[in-house]
Amino acid sequence: MAKTGYVYILASKKRGTLYTGVTSNLEQRIYQHKHHLFEGFTGKYGVTRLVWYEQGEDIVAAIELEKKIKNRNRQWKIDLIEKNNPDWNDLAANWQMDSAFCVLRLRAE
């Protein structure tokens, strides 16, 4: 069975800095971004608000979609976000993310 894949866009604020990523475990990855478990772009620029995501058929399809989105211009990405999330709400704000699960899984990978 193929791994599920997710493509996601994070923002620092409404119409702020954007980051596009891909993962096989969206909850874990968002937890990692929000708690700055990795050094890098999202931590440096405070890009932690999940403003858009889509589940792909599998991780390969998700990676292909991520590449397509990354090749689009900023306005296209803003339009994509605002189509379903015009207020740029954090779609993960009410998620009950289990920190123990996320950290344990991170160590296992």
Side-chain angles (χ1 to χ4, degrees):
M1 187 161 108
K3 276 189 172 185
T4 300
Y6 298 88
V7 182
Y8 61 93
I9 300 176
L10 302 177
S12 59
K13 61 183 179 181
K14 186 172 184 174
R15 294 186 170 240
T17 303
L18 300 177
Y19 173 84
T20 304
V22 65
T23 184
S24 62
N25 185 325
L26 186 60
E27 180 180 287
Q28 174 184 313
R29 182 67 76 216
I30 298 309
Y31 180 89
Q32 291 166 347
H33 285 299
K34 288 185 176 289
H35 293 89
H36 310 287
L37 297 181
F38 295 116
E39 291 185 20
F41 183 87
T42 58
K44 181 177 181 181
Y45 295 100
V47 184
T48 60
R49 183 188 299 196
L50 178 64
V51 293
W52 180 89
Y53 70 93
E54 184 172 304
Q55 181 176 347
E57 290 178 27
D58 56 37
I59 193 65
V60 174
I63 290 168
E64 288 301 313
L65 179 56
E66 177 201 29
K67 288 177 184 177
K68 289 178 183 177
I69 291 172
K70 283 185 171 185
N71 284 325
R72 297 291 189 146
N73 66 38
R74 178 178 169 79
Q75 187 58 53
W76 187 92
K77 294 172 195 173
I78 289 171
D79 293 343
L80 177 67
I81 294 163
E82 291 184 345
K83 181 178 178 182
N84 291 309
N85 188 3
D87 295 325
W88 292 61
N89 295 319
D90 185 348
L91 303 174
N94 295 321
W95 290 5
Q96 299 297 317
M97 291 184 267
D98 180 2
S99 62
F101 169 78
C102 290
V103 172
L104 289 172
R105 179 150 180 164
L106 176 61
R107 289 182 185 156
E109 291 182 344

